[in-house]
Amino acid sequence: MGKVAVMGYGVVGSGVVEILHDNKDTITKTLNEEIDVKYILDIRDFSNDPYADLVTNDFNKILNDDEIDVVAEAMGGLNPAYNFTKQLLLSGKSVVTSNKELVATHGAELLKIAQEKNVNYMFEASVGGGIPIIRPLMNCIAGNVVTEIDGIVNGTTNYILSQMFKNGKSFDDALKDAQEKGYAEKDPTADVEGYDACRKIAILASLSSGQTVDYNQIKTIGISKITSDDVKYAEKINSVIKLIATFKIENNKLYSSVQPAIVGNDCPIAVIDDVYNGIMVKGNMVQDLMFYGRGAGKLPTASAVVADIIDCFKLSGTNNGCIFEPLEADFMRPYEENKEAFMVILSGNVAEIKTKTENLFVNPEYISIKDNEIAVITNELTVSELESKLSDLPVVKKIKILR
Ligand code: HSE
């Protein structure tokens, strides 16, 4: 019988315990072995919980128990999750996690320790909640060079943007609604400013390139400055706005960003609404793939954690070979050197703006929704080229166009 410990008895941790209990028969059939939860680590009081007798606040009980082979870390945050995970791996236990912050920050080191100790560090739940994305990248399309990923990987911002488009809400009202429904935190900064999506794309970029992509180097723009006017401009060209996390390999250079993007209604990702996530992946052999599902929430996220637990037992005594090598010098292309098309909103005399911009871009298109303001759709050009062309113009805002 396999024994596991669950660290963190919050939304995801309690989901893991629930799935291991409710789907016990299925899991036992899959594994040919029963999995039992032996400890739940949490400092809070759960004396009325059905699993109260498993709850402990003593990490050393788990660390020093030879019966525990696999530990699910659902604590979130860097501390003490990092320290606990490191000690567990060093002691020869496998760890699975939903903690995107920890994987994005210390994944390379933790994966190396897991390899040295012949155990596993798995993180399927860290990106896209219940959507299988880590394993497909690692296994199913392992024979491909992954050339591009464009994904909606944050449910909260997708809900807010969906409300702005479908129900005409302002950003502030949509955020309030998301908070009331429990999607957005009281302090929504990590979601609305794109930091959460940034950590997730850093994980996918590291996995796809095999090199450690530092999330601090990923240009990140959130959705807090998206207005109802931006929504109207996008609608005029049959598009929506989504917070898109991008990874690209082009001419042997890696590029990654998180930013709001105008997405044509004919793009499969445009129809992904509310708290759902959707991730488009291009492999150089398989071509286009799309992954869709619940990117957050108790049971979807716990479902991915449990799959990792099962895999750790299946792989017992072997390491899965997942490693993030150090990033090669100059492999990452700066944001300014990346080519994108943009919608640029300019204010002032529309006739003058048109005269000034007509020859700046190749076949620019213009969109108008009100007096004394106009939006120009540019051709693809580098961000630094765009900046220099716009230097003397009254720019209100620039939004990338997903092509
Ligand atoms: N805050 C995250 C989201 C939770 O909204 O997607 C799942 O990682």
Side-chain angles (χ1 to χ4, degrees):
M1 184 185 292
K3 300 270 185 202
V4 301
V6 177
M7 301 197 301
Y9 200 36
V11 175
V12 178
S14 60
V16 172
V17 175
E18 191 175 323
I19 293 177
L20 288 173
H21 176 267
D22 290 2
N23 281 358
K24 197 175 191 69
D25 291 349
T26 308
I27 294 167
T28 307
K29 258 191 224 152
T30 305
L31 202 56
N32 236 346
E33 180 183 6
E34 257 182 48
I35 298 180
D36 263 356
V37 179
K38 185 165 180 184
Y39 303 107
I40 296 168
L41 181 72
D42 207 298
I43 49 171
R44 293 168 292 181
D45 174 32
F46 289 99
S47 40
N48 293 324
D49 189 271
Y51 297 98
D53 53 329
L54 305 182
V55 179
T56 175
N57 58 14
D58 182 2
F59 168 70
N60 287 316
K61 266 192 183 169
I62 299 170
L63 183 67
N64 298 323
D65 189 332
D66 289 340
E67 263 196 340
I68 299 287
D69 291 318
V70 181
V71 179
E73 183 268 303
M75 308 173 85
L78 291 183
N79 292 305
Y82 168 57
N83 182 25
F84 286 180
T85 301
K86 196 167 166 176
Q87 288 190 64
L88 290 164
L89 292 171
L90 284 168
S91 78
K93 298 184 194 303
S94 288
V95 179
V96 305
T97 187
S98 55
N99 188 336
K100 57 234 164 173
E101 200 181 347
L102 182 57
V103 180
T105 310
H106 295 294
E109 181 195 1
L110 297 170
L111 285 166
K112 194 156 181 278
I113 297 173
Q115 194 173 57
E116 282 163 8
K117 292 288 170 184
N118 221 16
V119 291
N120 288 286
Y121 183 52
M122 294 190 181
F123 45 91
E124 182 64 69
S126 66
V127 183
I131 305 172
I133 181 67
I134 303 294
R135 211 164 263 99
L137 288 174
M138 271 184 63
N139 300 336
C140 313
I141 60 164
N144 286 253
V145 175
V146 176
T147 53
E148 184 163 351
I149 298 175
D150 291 291
I152 297 168
V153 291
N154 182 269
T156 305
T157 45
N158 204 40
Y159 179 81
I160 293 171
L161 291 170
S162 302
Q163 287 299 315
M164 292 176 77
F165 272 84
K166 289 199 303 194
N167 296 332
K169 288 196 176 155
S170 66
F171 172 82
D172 287 340
D173 286 348
L175 170 60
K176 213 167 140 234
D177 177 16
Q179 283 170 322
E180 277 163 13
K181 290 207 161 63
Y183 302 143
E185 308 275 339
K186 220 163 121 197
D187 177 359
T189 315
D191 288 321
V192 299
E193 296 308 340
Y195 308 147
D196 174 79
C198 172
R199 279 154 183 80
K200 290 169 177 166
I201 196 68
I203 295 170
L204 297 185
S206 300
L207 198 64
S208 302
S209 68
Q211 299 188 24
T212 313
V213 177
D214 176 2
Y215 63 81
N216 292 302
Q217 288 185 42
I218 297 176
K219 176 75 177 182
T220 300
I221 306 170
I223 64 159
S224 59
K225 302 218 161 45
I226 298 296
T227 64
S228 302
D229 277 355
D230 301 336
V231 169
K232 285 186 198 144
Y233 279 117
E235 282 173 342
K236 274 249 177 174
I237 49 170
N238 298 319
S239 300
V240 288
I241 298 173
K242 298 286 184 191
L243 183 66
I244 300 292
T246 296
F247 153 84
K248 248 193 264 183
I249 296 271
E250 240 172 28
N251 303 325
N252 219 19
K253 291 265 185 202
L254 186 156
Y255 165 78
S256 188
S257 72
V258 173
Q259 54 188 314
I262 293 181
V263 181
N265 286 335
D266 54 353
C267 176
I269 218 165
V271 295
I272 292 167
D273 281 328
D274 302 324
V275 285
Y276 280 85
N277 284 191
I279 305 168
M280 299 191 295
V281 176
K282 272 192 185 43
N284 68 339
M285 297 296 152
V286 70
Q287 308 291 330
D288 295 308
L289 296 168
M290 170 102 179
F291 300 88
Y292 167 75
R294 291 183 186 274
K298 178 176 170 169
L299 294 176
T301 309
S303 148
V305 175
V306 170
D308 279 350
I309 293 175
I310 294 170
D311 242 17
C312 283
F313 279 105
K314 281 187 181 165
L315 283 169
S316 181
T318 52
N319 172 265
N320 66 359
C322 181
I323 208 92
F324 298 166
E325 300 288 356
L327 189 73
E328 280 168 24
D330 299 329
F331 183 44
M332 203 151 162
R333 189 167 62 197
Y335 172 71
E336 291 69 24
E337 289 174 24
N338 191 54
K339 272 193 172 177
E340 310 272 17
F342 283 89
M343 179 178 85
V344 183
I345 303 171
L346 300 135
S347 68
N349 183 297
V350 167
E352 271 175 30
I353 293 170
K354 274 191 170 174
T355 313
K356 283 186 186 161
T357 51
E358 249 159 16
N359 297 320
L360 277 183
F361 304 108
V362 183
N363 301 326
E365 284 171 50
Y366 294 93
I367 322 165
S368 172
I369 60 158
K370 61 179 178 186
D371 293 341
N372 297 319
E373 197 178 275
I374 194 149
V376 187
I377 307 289
T378 74
N379 53 296
E380 281 196 0
L381 71 180
T382 67
V383 176
S384 48
E385 279 167 350
L386 179 75
E387 299 289 347
S388 84
K389 283 178 191 285
L390 296 174
S391 59
D392 291 332
L393 291 166
V395 176
V396 177
K397 186 176 289 173
K398 305 181 281 283
I399 306 178
K400 155 184 165 162
I401 298 175
L402 186 70
R403 289 261 160 92

